[in-house]
Amino acid sequence: MAEPGIDGAAVAHGRRIVVGVGGSLGSLAALHRAVAEAARTDAEVLAVLAWAPQGGEHGYRLAPCPPLLSLWRDAAAHRLAQALDDAFGGMPAGVRLTAEAVRGDTGEVLVRTADRAGDLLVVGAGGGLLHRGLRPSVTAYCVRRALCPVLTVPRPALQQDLAELHRRGRRHLGPDGWHRRPPVGLTGSR
């Protein structure tokens, strides 16, 4: 997948649904919702995966390496293709879908891409409090800055269940990383 520009080459007419894709369960749920919305309204879907060089743009400017940049771009295109495959087993049937891997910060790329009056931007609701504390919320950025309507898709139940299991599991780890409680249903007696 080449990295076409985001200047509107994907759709010359009609309504467009731009969806942020990263491969997480939340972004796959957003992708499913965008495709369902496109099928309902006869819109075209533009699936966008934003990527940046390892170490960020500043790091790359300090030590540019075009061969590495090409590898990162190819890896982003592969991640996008993998996300489509994970979500639909390839390209979904019955919907016009274009996929682009675009270099830049996720929120900025999505807002810049969904720049038409008739666009709809679809994003996953994002991670929990810890995740938001470590990285700014792409969803909040898009809601604040987008010039078109933004549809936020809640985290799937499976993602919420996995987060809860992770939280519960972390509470019962000893300093060496091993669980200190017996699994549920085992008494530990002999």
Side-chain angles (χ1 to χ4, degrees):
M1 234 175 282
E3 182 189 13
I6 57 172
D7 58 357
V11 183
H13 65 285
R15 185 161 176 228
R16 216 171 42 154
I17 299 174
V18 177
V19 58
V21 179
S24 69
L25 288 175
S27 76
L28 294 179
L31 181 57
H32 270 271
R33 181 62 188 268
V35 166
E37 190 69 19
R40 189 180 68 76
T41 61
D42 194 36
E44 179 163 350
V45 175
L46 177 56
V48 177
L49 181 138
W51 67 276
Q54 295 292 322
E57 292 294 341
H58 179 70
Y60 185 77
R61 280 191 299 274
L62 292 175
C65 181
L68 275 178
L69 191 64
S70 180
L71 287 173
W72 294 325
R73 179 180 23 255
D74 293 347
H78 178 74
R79 268 187 32 226
L80 180 54
Q82 184 64 50
L84 289 169
D85 195 44
D86 289 347
F88 305 109
M91 294 296 254
V95 174
R96 297 180 320 271
L97 187 141
T98 305
E100 296 183 0
V102 180
R103 183 176 172 182
D105 290 329
T106 305
E108 293 172 12
V109 165
L110 293 174
V111 167
R112 193 172 66 232
T113 303
D115 63 348
R116 297 181 187 173
D119 285 350
L120 172 67
L121 177 56
V122 180
V123 292
L129 291 174
L130 176 62
H131 186 294
R132 278 181 265 154
L134 298 174
R135 293 178 26 195
S137 169
V138 170
T139 305
Y141 180 92
C142 291
V143 167
R144 280 193 314 271
R145 307 252 173 131
L147 300 176
C148 66
V150 178
L151 173 62
T152 60
V153 178
R155 293 183 334 161
L158 176 60
Q159 187 177 3
Q160 294 172 14
D161 292 346
L162 289 172
E164 178 58 28
L165 283 173
H166 180 73
R167 274 193 299 279
R168 275 192 272 149
R170 299 286 300 164
R171 283 188 290 215
H172 304 299
L173 292 180
D176 57 358
W178 290 93
H179 282 278
R180 293 296 175 212
R181 293 173 94 192
V184 175
L186 298 179
T187 62
S189 61
R190 294 182 190 197

mmCIF file with all atom_site columns, all heavy atoms in Angstrom, residues 53-69 72 103:
data_model
loop_
_atom_site.group_PDB
_atom_site.id
_atom_site.type_symbol
_atom_site.label_atom_id
_atom_site.label_alt_id
_atom_site.label_comp_id
_atom_site.label_asym_id
_atom_site.label_entity_id
_atom_site.label_seq_id
_atom_site.pdbx_PDB_ins_code
_atom_site.Cartn_x
_atom_site.Cartn_y
_atom_site.Cartn_z
_atom_site.occupancy
_atom_site.B_iso_or_equiv
_atom_site.pdbx_formal_charge
_atom_site.auth_seq_id
_atom_site.auth_comp_id
_atom_site.auth_asym_id
_atom_site.auth_atom_id
_atom_site.pdbx_PDB_model_num
ATOM 1   N N   . PRO A 1 53  ? 8.056  7.901  12.455 1.00 0.00 ? 53  PRO A N   1
ATOM 2   C CA  . PRO A 1 53  ? 9.330  7.186  12.591 1.00 0.00 ? 53  PRO A CA  1
ATOM 3   C C   . PRO A 1 53  ? 9.577  6.775  14.042 1.00 0.00 ? 53  PRO A C   1
ATOM 4   O O   . PRO A 1 53  ? 9.124  7.454  14.968 1.00 0.00 ? 53  PRO A O   1
ATOM 5   C CB  . PRO A 1 53  ? 10.372 8.217  12.146 1.00 0.00 ? 53  PRO A CB  1
ATOM 6   C CG  . PRO A 1 53  ? 9.623  9.248  11.385 1.00 0.00 ? 53  PRO A CG  1
ATOM 7   C CD  . PRO A 1 53  ? 8.232  9.250  11.933 1.00 0.00 ? 53  PRO A CD  1
ATOM 8   N N   . GLN A 1 54  ? 10.273 5.673  14.242 1.00 0.00 ? 54  GLN A N   1
ATOM 9   C CA  . GLN A 1 54  ? 10.655 5.264  15.594 1.00 0.00 ? 54  GLN A CA  1
ATOM 10  C C   . GLN A 1 54  ? 11.461 6.397  16.224 1.00 0.00 ? 54  GLN A C   1
ATOM 11  O O   . GLN A 1 54  ? 12.345 6.955  15.596 1.00 0.00 ? 54  GLN A O   1
ATOM 12  C CB  . GLN A 1 54  ? 11.518 3.994  15.555 1.00 0.00 ? 54  GLN A CB  1
ATOM 13  C CG  . GLN A 1 54  ? 10.797 2.783  15.051 1.00 0.00 ? 54  GLN A CG  1
ATOM 14  C CD  . GLN A 1 54  ? 9.722  2.318  16.010 1.00 0.00 ? 54  GLN A CD  1
ATOM 15  O OE1 . GLN A 1 54  ? 9.902  2.364  17.216 1.00 0.00 ? 54  GLN A OE1 1
ATOM 16  N NE2 . GLN A 1 54  ? 8.610  1.871  15.465 1.00 0.00 ? 54  GLN A NE2 1
ATOM 17  N N   . GLY A 1 55  ? 11.120 6.749  17.439 1.00 0.00 ? 55  GLY A N   1
ATOM 18  C CA  . GLY A 1 55  ? 11.800 7.853  18.112 1.00 0.00 ? 55  GLY A CA  1
ATOM 19  C C   . GLY A 1 55  ? 11.167 9.196  17.816 1.00 0.00 ? 55  GLY A C   1
ATOM 20  O O   . GLY A 1 55  ? 11.630 10.218 18.305 1.00 0.00 ? 55  GLY A O   1
ATOM 21  N N   . GLY A 1 56  ? 10.111 9.208  16.995 1.00 0.00 ? 56  GLY A N   1
ATOM 22  C CA  . GLY A 1 56  ? 9.388  10.443 16.697 1.00 0.00 ? 56  GLY A CA  1
ATOM 23  C C   . GLY A 1 56  ? 10.012 11.261 15.585 1.00 0.00 ? 56  GLY A C   1
ATOM 24  O O   . GLY A 1 56  ? 11.120 10.990 15.117 1.00 0.00 ? 56  GLY A O   1
ATOM 25  N N   . GLU A 1 57  ? 9.286  12.270 15.175 1.00 0.00 ? 57  GLU A N   1
ATOM 26  C CA  . GLU A 1 57  ? 9.734  13.141 14.080 1.00 0.00 ? 57  GLU A CA  1
ATOM 27  C C   . GLU A 1 57  ? 10.999 13.908 14.459 1.00 0.00 ? 57  GLU A C   1
ATOM 28  O O   . GLU A 1 57  ? 11.896 14.062 13.647 1.00 0.00 ? 57  GLU A O   1
ATOM 29  C CB  . GLU A 1 57  ? 8.619  14.109 13.689 1.00 0.00 ? 57  GLU A CB  1
ATOM 30  C CG  . GLU A 1 57  ? 7.424  13.455 13.039 1.00 0.00 ? 57  GLU A CG  1
ATOM 31  C CD  . GLU A 1 57  ? 7.719  12.835 11.674 1.00 0.00 ? 57  GLU A CD  1
ATOM 32  O OE1 . GLU A 1 57  ? 8.744  13.189 11.024 1.00 0.00 ? 57  GLU A OE1 1
ATOM 33  O OE2 . GLU A 1 57  ? 6.922  11.989 11.257 1.00 0.00 ? 57  GLU A OE2 1
ATOM 34  N N   . HIS A 1 58  ? 11.063 14.373 15.705 1.00 0.00 ? 58  HIS A N   1
ATOM 35  C CA  . HIS A 1 58  ? 12.245 15.128 16.139 1.00 0.00 ? 58  HIS A CA  1
ATOM 36  C C   . HIS A 1 58  ? 13.489 14.252 16.065 1.00 0.00 ? 58  HIS A C   1
ATOM 37  O O   . HIS A 1 58  ? 14.528 14.680 15.549 1.00 0.00 ? 58  HIS A O   1
ATOM 38  C CB  . HIS A 1 58  ? 12.048 15.675 17.553 1.00 0.00 ? 58  HIS A CB  1
ATOM 39  C CG  . HIS A 1 58  ? 13.218 16.442 18.060 1.00 0.00 ? 58  HIS A CG  1
ATOM 40  N ND1 . HIS A 1 58  ? 13.567 17.674 17.551 1.00 0.00 ? 58  HIS A ND1 1
ATOM 41  C CD2 . HIS A 1 58  ? 14.132 16.135 19.006 1.00 0.00 ? 58  HIS A CD2 1
ATOM 42  C CE1 . HIS A 1 58  ? 14.657 18.097 18.166 1.00 0.00 ? 58  HIS A CE1 1
ATOM 43  N NE2 . HIS A 1 58  ? 15.013 17.194 19.065 1.00 0.00 ? 58  HIS A NE2 1
ATOM 44  N N   . GLY A 1 59  ? 13.371 13.013 16.559 1.00 0.00 ? 59  GLY A N   1
ATOM 45  C CA  . GLY A 1 59  ? 14.501 12.090 16.491 1.00 0.00 ? 59  GLY A CA  1
ATOM 46  C C   . GLY A 1 59  ? 14.927 11.808 15.068 1.00 0.00 ? 59  GLY A C   1
ATOM 47  O O   . GLY A 1 59  ? 16.124 11.720 14.759 1.00 0.00 ? 59  GLY A O   1
ATOM 48  N N   . TYR A 1 60  ? 13.960 11.687 14.181 1.00 0.00 ? 60  TYR A N   1
ATOM 49  C CA  . TYR A 1 60  ? 14.296 11.420 12.778 1.00 0.00 ? 60  TYR A CA  1
ATOM 50  C C   . TYR A 1 60  ? 14.993 12.622 12.140 1.00 0.00 ? 60  TYR A C   1
ATOM 51  O O   . TYR A 1 60  ? 15.923 12.461 11.354 1.00 0.00 ? 60  TYR A O   1
ATOM 52  C CB  . TYR A 1 60  ? 13.049 11.048 11.972 1.00 0.00 ? 60  TYR A CB  1
ATOM 53  C CG  . TYR A 1 60  ? 13.404 10.656 10.563 1.00 0.00 ? 60  TYR A CG  1
ATOM 54  C CD1 . TYR A 1 60  ? 13.955 9.402  10.294 1.00 0.00 ? 60  TYR A CD1 1
ATOM 55  C CD2 . TYR A 1 60  ? 13.237 11.548 9.518  1.00 0.00 ? 60  TYR A CD2 1
ATOM 56  C CE1 . TYR A 1 60  ? 14.320 9.053  9.010  1.00 0.00 ? 60  TYR A CE1 1
ATOM 57  C CE2 . TYR A 1 60  ? 13.602 11.203 8.225  1.00 0.00 ? 60  TYR A CE2 1
ATOM 58  C CZ  . TYR A 1 60  ? 14.143 9.956  7.981  1.00 0.00 ? 60  TYR A CZ  1
ATOM 59  O OH  . TYR A 1 60  ? 14.507 9.607  6.705  1.00 0.00 ? 60  TYR A OH  1
ATOM 60  N N   . ARG A 1 61  ? 14.562 13.827 12.490 1.00 0.00 ? 61  ARG A N   1
ATOM 61  C CA  . ARG A 1 61  ? 15.223 15.012 11.942 1.00 0.00 ? 61  ARG A CA  1
ATOM 62  C C   . ARG A 1 61  ? 16.678 15.097 12.416 1.00 0.00 ? 61  ARG A C   1
ATOM 63  O O   . ARG A 1 61  ? 17.540 15.576 11.675 1.00 0.00 ? 61  ARG A O   1
ATOM 64  C CB  . ARG A 1 61  ? 14.463 16.281 12.328 1.00 0.00 ? 61  ARG A CB  1
ATOM 65  C CG  . ARG A 1 61  ? 13.254 16.519 11.452 1.00 0.00 ? 61  ARG A CG  1
ATOM 66  C CD  . ARG A 1 61  ? 12.676 17.909 11.664 1.00 0.00 ? 61  ARG A CD  1
ATOM 67  N NE  . ARG A 1 61  ? 12.222 18.168 13.010 1.00 0.00 ? 61  ARG A NE  1
ATOM 68  C CZ  . ARG A 1 61  ? 11.004 17.863 13.464 1.00 0.00 ? 61  ARG A CZ  1
ATOM 69  N NH1 . ARG A 1 61  ? 10.139 17.287 12.683 1.00 0.00 ? 61  ARG A NH1 1
ATOM 70  N NH2 . ARG A 1 61  ? 10.677 18.135 14.708 1.00 0.00 ? 61  ARG A NH2 1
ATOM 71  N N   . LEU A 1 62  ? 16.930 14.638 13.635 1.00 0.00 ? 62  LEU A N   1
ATOM 72  C CA  . LEU A 1 62  ? 18.307 14.660 14.149 1.00 0.00 ? 62  LEU A CA  1
ATOM 73  C C   . LEU A 1 62  ? 19.202 13.651 13.438 1.00 0.00 ? 62  LEU A C   1
ATOM 74  O O   . LEU A 1 62  ? 20.390 13.899 13.259 1.00 0.00 ? 62  LEU A O   1
ATOM 75  C CB  . LEU A 1 62  ? 18.313 14.373 15.653 1.00 0.00 ? 62  LEU A CB  1
ATOM 76  C CG  . LEU A 1 62  ? 17.704 15.454 16.544 1.00 0.00 ? 62  LEU A CG  1
ATOM 77  C CD1 . LEU A 1 62  ? 17.673 14.986 17.992 1.00 0.00 ? 62  LEU A CD1 1
ATOM 78  C CD2 . LEU A 1 62  ? 18.490 16.754 16.420 1.00 0.00 ? 62  LEU A CD2 1
ATOM 79  N N   . ALA A 1 63  ? 18.636 12.500 13.066 1.00 0.00 ? 63  ALA A N   1
ATOM 80  C CA  . ALA A 1 63  ? 19.420 11.453 12.406 1.00 0.00 ? 63  ALA A CA  1
ATOM 81  C C   . ALA A 1 63  ? 18.586 10.802 11.300 1.00 0.00 ? 63  ALA A C   1
ATOM 82  O O   . ALA A 1 63  ? 18.108 9.681  11.450 1.00 0.00 ? 63  ALA A O   1
ATOM 83  C CB  . ALA A 1 63  ? 19.863 10.416 13.432 1.00 0.00 ? 63  ALA A CB  1
ATOM 84  N N   . PRO A 1 64  ? 18.386 11.515 10.187 1.00 0.00 ? 64  PRO A N   1
ATOM 85  C CA  . PRO A 1 64  ? 17.553 10.966 9.121  1.00 0.00 ? 64  PRO A CA  1
ATOM 86  C C   . PRO A 1 64  ? 18.194 9.739  8.465  1.00 0.00 ? 64  PRO A C   1
ATOM 87  O O   . PRO A 1 64  ? 19.417 9.683  8.311  1.00 0.00 ? 64  PRO A O   1
ATOM 88  C CB  . PRO A 1 64  ? 17.426 12.120 8.127  1.00 0.00 ? 64  PRO A CB  1
ATOM 89  C CG  . PRO A 1 64  ? 18.541 13.049 8.426  1.00 0.00 ? 64  PRO A CG  1
ATOM 90  C CD  . PRO A 1 64  ? 18.910 12.835 9.860  1.00 0.00 ? 64  PRO A CD  1
ATOM 91  N N   . CYS A 1 65  ? 17.350 8.788  8.114  1.00 0.00 ? 65  CYS A N   1
ATOM 92  C CA  . CYS A 1 65  ? 17.821 7.568  7.455  1.00 0.00 ? 65  CYS A CA  1
ATOM 93  C C   . CYS A 1 65  ? 16.713 7.103  6.492  1.00 0.00 ? 65  CYS A C   1
ATOM 94  O O   . CYS A 1 65  ? 15.793 6.391  6.910  1.00 0.00 ? 65  CYS A O   1
ATOM 95  C CB  . CYS A 1 65  ? 18.149 6.491  8.482  1.00 0.00 ? 65  CYS A CB  1
ATOM 96  S SG  . CYS A 1 65  ? 18.767 4.974  7.733  1.00 0.00 ? 65  CYS A SG  1
ATOM 97  N N   . PRO A 1 66  ? 16.769 7.515  5.236  1.00 0.00 ? 66  PRO A N   1
ATOM 98  C CA  . PRO A 1 66  ? 15.717 7.171  4.285  1.00 0.00 ? 66  PRO A CA  1
ATOM 99  C C   . PRO A 1 66  ? 15.417 5.667  4.183  1.00 0.00 ? 66  PRO A C   1
ATOM 100 O O   . PRO A 1 66  ? 14.247 5.300  4.072  1.00 0.00 ? 66  PRO A O   1
ATOM 101 C CB  . PRO A 1 66  ? 16.222 7.755  2.959  1.00 0.00 ? 66  PRO A CB  1
ATOM 102 C CG  . PRO A 1 66  ? 17.068 8.919  3.381  1.00 0.00 ? 66  PRO A CG  1
ATOM 103 C CD  . PRO A 1 66  ? 17.742 8.450  4.651  1.00 0.00 ? 66  PRO A CD  1
ATOM 104 N N   . PRO A 1 67  ? 16.421 4.771  4.214  1.00 0.00 ? 67  PRO A N   1
ATOM 105 C CA  . PRO A 1 67  ? 16.061 3.347  4.150  1.00 0.00 ? 67  PRO A CA  1
ATOM 106 C C   . PRO A 1 67  ? 15.199 2.897  5.343  1.00 0.00 ? 67  PRO A C   1
ATOM 107 O O   . PRO A 1 67  ? 14.265 2.119  5.174  1.00 0.00 ? 67  PRO A O   1
ATOM 108 C CB  . PRO A 1 67  ? 17.410 2.626  4.160  1.00 0.00 ? 67  PRO A CB  1
ATOM 109 C CG  . PRO A 1 67  ? 18.380 3.624  3.615  1.00 0.00 ? 67  PRO A CG  1
ATOM 110 C CD  . PRO A 1 67  ? 17.881 4.956  4.112  1.00 0.00 ? 67  PRO A CD  1
ATOM 111 N N   . LEU A 1 68  ? 15.492 3.420  6.546  1.00 0.00 ? 68  LEU A N   1
ATOM 112 C CA  . LEU A 1 68  ? 14.673 3.088  7.706  1.00 0.00 ? 68  LEU A CA  1
ATOM 113 C C   . LEU A 1 68  ? 13.276 3.681  7.561  1.00 0.00 ? 68  LEU A C   1
ATOM 114 O O   . LEU A 1 68  ? 12.282 3.042  7.898  1.00 0.00 ? 68  LEU A O   1
ATOM 115 C CB  . LEU A 1 68  ? 15.311 3.607  8.995  1.00 0.00 ? 68  LEU A CB  1
ATOM 116 C CG  . LEU A 1 68  ? 16.352 2.713  9.641  1.00 0.00 ? 68  LEU A CG  1
ATOM 117 C CD1 . LEU A 1 68  ? 16.929 3.389  10.889 1.00 0.00 ? 68  LEU A CD1 1
ATOM 118 C CD2 . LEU A 1 68  ? 15.782 1.371  9.990  1.00 0.00 ? 68  LEU A CD2 1
ATOM 119 N N   . LEU A 1 69  ? 13.186 4.893  7.051  1.00 0.00 ? 69  LEU A N   1
ATOM 120 C CA  . LEU A 1 69  ? 11.896 5.532  6.848  1.00 0.00 ? 69  LEU A CA  1
ATOM 121 C C   . LEU A 1 69  ? 11.028 4.690  5.912  1.00 0.00 ? 69  LEU A C   1
ATOM 122 O O   . LEU A 1 69  ? 9.838  4.504  6.147  1.00 0.00 ? 69  LEU A O   1
ATOM 123 C CB  . LEU A 1 69  ? 12.083 6.940  6.291  1.00 0.00 ? 69  LEU A CB  1
ATOM 124 C CG  . LEU A 1 69  ? 10.847 7.819  6.273  1.00 0.00 ? 69  LEU A CG  1
ATOM 125 C CD1 . LEU A 1 69  ? 10.382 8.092  7.693  1.00 0.00 ? 69  LEU A CD1 1
ATOM 126 C CD2 . LEU A 1 69  ? 11.149 9.119  5.551  1.00 0.00 ? 69  LEU A CD2 1
ATOM 127 N N   . TRP A 1 72  ? 9.695  1.719  7.872  1.00 0.00 ? 72  TRP A N   1
ATOM 128 C CA  . TRP A 1 72  ? 8.609  2.101  8.780  1.00 0.00 ? 72  TRP A CA  1
ATOM 129 C C   . TRP A 1 72  ? 7.306  2.341  8.012  1.00 0.00 ? 72  TRP A C   1
ATOM 130 O O   . TRP A 1 72  ? 6.235  1.968  8.462  1.00 0.00 ? 72  TRP A O   1
ATOM 131 C CB  . TRP A 1 72  ? 8.994  3.332  9.585  1.00 0.00 ? 72  TRP A CB  1
ATOM 132 C CG  . TRP A 1 72  ? 10.129 3.105  10.542 1.00 0.00 ? 72  TRP A CG  1
ATOM 133 C CD1 . TRP A 1 72  ? 10.393 1.964  11.242 1.00 0.00 ? 72  TRP A CD1 1
ATOM 134 C CD2 . TRP A 1 72  ? 11.151 4.028  10.889 1.00 0.00 ? 72  TRP A CD2 1
ATOM 135 N NE1 . TRP A 1 72  ? 11.516 2.134  12.010 1.00 0.00 ? 72  TRP A NE1 1
ATOM 136 C CE2 . TRP A 1 72  ? 12.012 3.389  11.815 1.00 0.00 ? 72  TRP A CE2 1
ATOM 137 C CE3 . TRP A 1 72  ? 11.435 5.328  10.518 1.00 0.00 ? 72  TRP A CE3 1
ATOM 138 C CZ2 . TRP A 1 72  ? 13.114 4.005  12.374 1.00 0.00 ? 72  TRP A CZ2 1
ATOM 139 C CZ3 . TRP A 1 72  ? 12.544 5.954  11.074 1.00 0.00 ? 72  TRP A CZ3 1
ATOM 140 C CH2 . TRP A 1 72  ? 13.366 5.293  11.990 1.00 0.00 ? 72  TRP A CH2 1
ATOM 141 N N   . ARG A 1 103 ? 1.836  9.439  7.286  1.00 0.00 ? 103 ARG A N   1
ATOM 142 C CA  . ARG A 1 103 ? 2.838  9.838  8.275  1.00 0.00 ? 103 ARG A CA  1
ATOM 143 C C   . ARG A 1 103 ? 2.363  11.059 9.058  1.00 0.00 ? 103 ARG A C   1
ATOM 144 O O   . ARG A 1 103 ? 1.951  12.063 8.487  1.00 0.00 ? 103 ARG A O   1
ATOM 145 C CB  . ARG A 1 103 ? 4.144  10.162 7.555  1.00 0.00 ? 103 ARG A CB  1
ATOM 146 C CG  . ARG A 1 103 ? 5.274  10.521 8.481  1.00 0.00 ? 103 ARG A CG  1
ATOM 147 C CD  . ARG A 1 103 ? 6.530  10.729 7.678  1.00 0.00 ? 103 ARG A CD  1
ATOM 148 N NE  . ARG A 1 103 ? 7.606  11.265 8.483  1.00 0.00 ? 103 ARG A NE  1
ATOM 149 C CZ  . ARG A 1 103 ? 8.796  11.574 7.990  1.00 0.00 ? 103 ARG A CZ  1
ATOM 150 N NH1 . ARG A 1 103 ? 9.046  11.390 6.710  1.00 0.00 ? 103 ARG A NH1 1
ATOM 151 N NH2 . ARG A 1 103 ? 9.721  12.066 8.776  1.00 0.00 ? 103 ARG A NH2 1
#
